[in-house]
Amino acid sequence: MIEFASLGLSESTLKAIAETGYTTATPIQEAAIPVALAGRDVLGIAQTGTGKTAAFTLPMIDRLAAGRSKARMPRALVIAPTRELADQVSSSFERYAKYHKLSWALLIGGVSFGDQEAKLDRGVDVLIATPGRLLDHFERGKLLLTGVQMLVVDEADRMLDMGFIPDIERIFKMTPPKRQVLFFSATMPPEITRLTKQFLNDPTRIEASRPATTAETITQYITELPVSDSKAKRAALRALAERADVKNGIVFCNRKTEVDIVAKSLKSHGFDASPIHGDLDQATRTRTLESFRKGELKLLVASDVAARGLDIPAVSHVFNYDVPHHADDYVHRIGRTGRAGRTGETYMIVTPADSKSLDKVLKLIGQTPKMAPLDLDWASLVDERGRSGGRGASSRDGRRGESRAPTRGRRPARSDGDAPVQPVEDVVAAEVSEPSAPPPAPAPAPAGAQQEDRPRARSRGRTRARAEAAPPVPVEAAPVATPAATESRSDPEAMPRRASRQTERPIRGVKVRDEGDDHRNGVRGFGGDTPAFLLRPTPTRDD
């Protein structure tokens, strides 16, 4: 490895780096920093945890050291897929730019627009944002991107998974064509390749390591279950967490609803665990992550919103409660441990329903993890209601990384967002249960309301009542309407009056047949059983 002092960085920046405790650069930093300092576009391909954030933050600081920012016109823009990753970039910029007079702003959702607009009005050198909130400010007229000199796109393949590519294309078109682009991605699917060919100008391709590889400092285990049942999976997770020497760990689930259920189950059995996923408000997510970073929280139960980019270097264990649907996600999940030369352990719970997803993971990583069997009474752990853990494993997260559709049997989130969504169908009841009160019986409807709420009836009794309430009218009492009268909708006398639900009234311009007393209560051929719709007077044409 090479030292930072030989990469061409300024003395002020090197001083800030030294105070963070780093002395040597990672391969992606060693290759990217000199190219970025020279003003060329960079296409960096490296897996998570290789130091990509410093690879673009450090040269950006030195290139922006000379110059002043203008109100609502940032000089550099960093786009990140998640709030957590954007906040991490902001913290990194704050550490490394402490000896430079540079300003920056963080634009993410879940935070007041007013505070962000105030910073934009004062002018910032660097804008760190998620795509949605950035475009919100632009559409409000609070932001201009015509002064952007450097544009950074971080975790581009994650942007693709979350459906942000159209937003990224729009942001590219809002910036000047001569800006410098630093583009980083762990993988290069065809859509990302198309994007780089369209918007990057002769970039220097830097591939620090083979995409989708796992670090050698991580020991991987597989725990196979003979049943595909949620209750059995939760019992296996608890057994693994008790058996392993867990300093702190992250439990990954495929679905947000499963995150809440697993966190609740762990808490009910005495584990220090909290959930984090996209449905929680930003204040709760930030507070939970900060507690985990400080060591105040032992287990973080997460969806894939936390799988990439989060710099939590001291994670000792990662538990895959669900086998990820996409093999690349497995690499990013277990990459939360074994960072910066540390060792880590990962466990993946596998059920018979996970065979296809497991095959994809094993094929990608090119190795077979060690087996970690559990001696549990699986027959007694099967959920009595027959819910299968494999059922949920077949549903893919939505375009923005997590499914937004409401799940059957789930209450809506509280308006304050301080508590995770709790399922109405308490799947943890078999583990820690409380009897639930039966639902209250519906109150009897008032006598008057019963008739109003009932659909229009065609019964014999209602038909006869209507017929008796509407005696026939002689033909002479119903003159035929003229065309002028029927066409003039503004004339109330020319408009047909609606028949009352209780009585049938004569309508102007309508002939009503008078067949005598034998047909007073009906139409010929029906007697008293005439359907209600035939009792409506029908307009007839004069012959």
Side-chain angles (χ1 to χ4, degrees):
M1 290 197 178
I2 192 172
E3 294 186 354
F4 284 105
S6 60
L7 297 180
L9 297 169
S10 66
E11 292 296 330
S12 299
T13 303
L14 291 174
K15 182 179 179 181
I17 295 173
E19 291 181 1
T20 62
Y22 296 109
T23 57
T24 59
T26 64
I28 187 68
Q29 294 167 356
E30 177 184 344
I33 289 176
V35 178
L37 287 174
R40 297 189 58 187
D41 288 1
V42 172
L43 174 58
I45 304 172
Q47 64 190 60
T48 183
T50 56
K52 294 193 300 292
T53 303
F56 62 78
T57 302
L58 296 176
M60 177 186 295
I61 291 172
D62 277 3
R63 284 182 57 81
L64 297 177
R68 295 184 58 185
S69 61
K70 299 180 181 179
R72 303 184 184 182
M73 293 182 64
R75 295 193 292 150
L77 175 63
V78 180
I79 305 297
T82 65
R83 302 174 186 178
E84 286 76 20
L85 185 55
D87 183 61
Q88 176 185 308
V89 173
S90 177
S91 299
S92 178
F93 190 88
E94 183 178 5
R95 289 195 303 267
Y96 296 134
K98 60 188 303 183
Y99 296 113
H100 293 81
K101 295 181 179 180
L102 296 175
S103 59
W104 68 94
L106 178 63
L107 302 186
I108 58 176
V111 182
S112 168
F113 273 96
D115 296 339
Q116 296 175 353
E117 291 175 358
K119 291 183 178 180
L120 294 176
D121 289 340
R122 290 194 297 267
V124 295
D125 295 292
V126 180
L127 200 57
I128 306 163
T130 52
R133 181 52 67 97
L134 177 72
L135 292 176
D136 285 343
H137 280 283
F138 180 82
E139 291 170 355
R140 288 168 174 246
K142 303 296 182 179
L143 180 65
L144 292 174
L145 299 180
T146 54
V148 171
Q149 303 170 18
M150 297 183 68
L151 173 59
V152 178
V153 178
D154 196 13
E155 299 281 359
D157 51 346
R158 184 63 172 165
M159 299 275 195
L160 175 63
D161 294 340
M162 300 177 70
F164 284 141
I165 295 302
D167 292 341
I168 298 301
E169 290 179 320
R170 182 181 175 191
I171 293 170
F172 266 113
K173 295 175 182 178
M174 290 158 51
T175 58
K178 292 185 178 182
R179 73 284 190 251
Q180 180 186 8
V181 179
L182 308 181
F183 196 96
F184 293 90
S185 181
T187 59
M188 289 296 294
E191 187 71 8
I192 298 299
T193 302
R194 180 194 63 81
L195 198 66
T196 58
K197 291 181 178 179
Q198 182 179 358
F199 294 107
L200 272 65
N201 180 26
D202 190 23
T204 300
R205 184 184 177 101
I206 301 172
E207 191 167 350
S209 61
R210 185 173 63 88
T213 56
T214 57
E216 296 180 358
T217 56
I218 302 174
T219 304
Q220 304 174 56
Y221 295 94
I222 286 181
T223 298
E224 293 185 345
L225 274 60
V227 294
S228 299
D229 187 86
S230 298
K231 184 178 178 182
K233 289 177 66 176
R234 292 192 294 271
L237 174 63
R238 295 193 301 271
L240 291 173
E242 290 173 351
R243 188 173 71 177
D245 184 16
V246 180
K247 176 184 177 183
N248 59 352
I250 303 178
V251 181
F252 283 107
C253 303
N254 287 346
R255 297 178 298 163
K256 292 179 290 186
T257 51
E258 202 72 50
V259 169
D260 287 324
I261 294 171
V262 172
K264 182 179 179 181
S265 174
L266 290 171
K267 286 181 182 179
S268 66
H269 286 82
F271 290 88
D272 182 19
S274 291
I276 180 170
H277 55 72
D279 277 353
L280 298 176
D281 66 272
Q282 184 59 35
T284 302
R285 291 161 66 176
T286 302
R287 185 168 58 248
T288 301
L289 280 175
E290 191 63 24
S291 298
F292 188 71
R293 285 193 178 102
K294 292 180 179 179
E296 300 170 356
L297 178 65
K298 188 173 183 179
L299 289 175
L300 182 69
V301 187
S303 62
D304 281 314
V305 71
R308 299 194 186 193
L310 292 183
D311 187 14
I312 308 174
V315 176
S316 64
H317 288 74
V318 168
F319 299 91
N320 281 283
Y321 176 82
D322 293 316
V323 179
H325 301 299
H326 289 266
D328 287 343
D329 290 337
Y330 175 79
V331 177
H332 295 297
R333 286 180 180 185
I334 70 172
R336 299 303 95 215
T337 187
R339 299 166 71 89
R342 298 179 177 90
T343 60
E345 293 183 358
T346 67
Y347 293 84
M348 181 165 56
I349 299 174
V350 179
T351 71
D354 299 323
S355 58
K356 292 184 178 180
S357 297
L358 177 62
D359 290 342
K360 294 177 182 178
V361 170
L362 298 181
K363 182 179 179 181
L364 178 69
I365 64 177
Q367 58 178 300
T368 301
K370 300 178 181 179
M371 300 302 296
L374 292 174
D375 186 14
L376 298 177
D377 184 5
W378 301 111
S380 64
L381 291 173
V382 175
D383 197 322
E384 296 178 358
R385 287 163 288 188
R387 267 189 305 271
S388 171
R391 178 182 179 185
S394 63
S395 63
R396 171 64 181 155
D397 286 351
R399 291 186 65 196
R400 296 187 178 268
E402 297 171 340
S403 173
R404 300 281 180 182
T407 305
R408 183 179 179 183
R410 171 182 170 188
R411 293 195 187 106
R414 290 182 2 178
S415 58
D416 56 6
D418 290 335
V421 177
Q422 297 295 339
V424 176
E425 192 178 31
D426 190 4
V427 298
V428 192
E431 299 157 10
V432 178
S433 61
E434 294 181 2
S436 58
Q450 186 176 0
Q451 193 77 343
E452 291 293 329
D453 295 339
R454 182 179 301 170
R456 180 176 296 176
R458 295 186 179 181
S459 65
R460 179 181 304 179
R462 292 292 300 271
T463 303
R464 182 176 292 109
R466 290 186 176 185
E468 291 176 354
V473 181
V475 175
E476 291 77 13
V480 178
T482 64
T486 57
E487 292 174 1
S488 177
R489 300 183 64 88
S490 61
D491 184 5
E493 290 296 326
M495 297 177 61
R497 288 174 291 180
R498 294 183 179 272
S500 171
R501 294 186 64 178
Q502 290 77 21
T503 62
E504 298 290 343
R505 299 178 181 178
I507 302 176
R508 291 182 180 274
V510 176
K511 289 186 177 181
V512 181
R513 299 180 62 181
D514 186 7
E515 298 289 343
D517 293 342
D518 292 342
H519 304 287
R520 180 178 299 274
N521 294 331
V523 179
R524 185 185 298 273
F526 289 92
D529 296 330
T530 306
F533 74 94
L534 290 179
L535 290 176
R536 299 282 183 176
T538 305
T540 61
R541 181 182 299 174
D542 289 337
D543 296 332

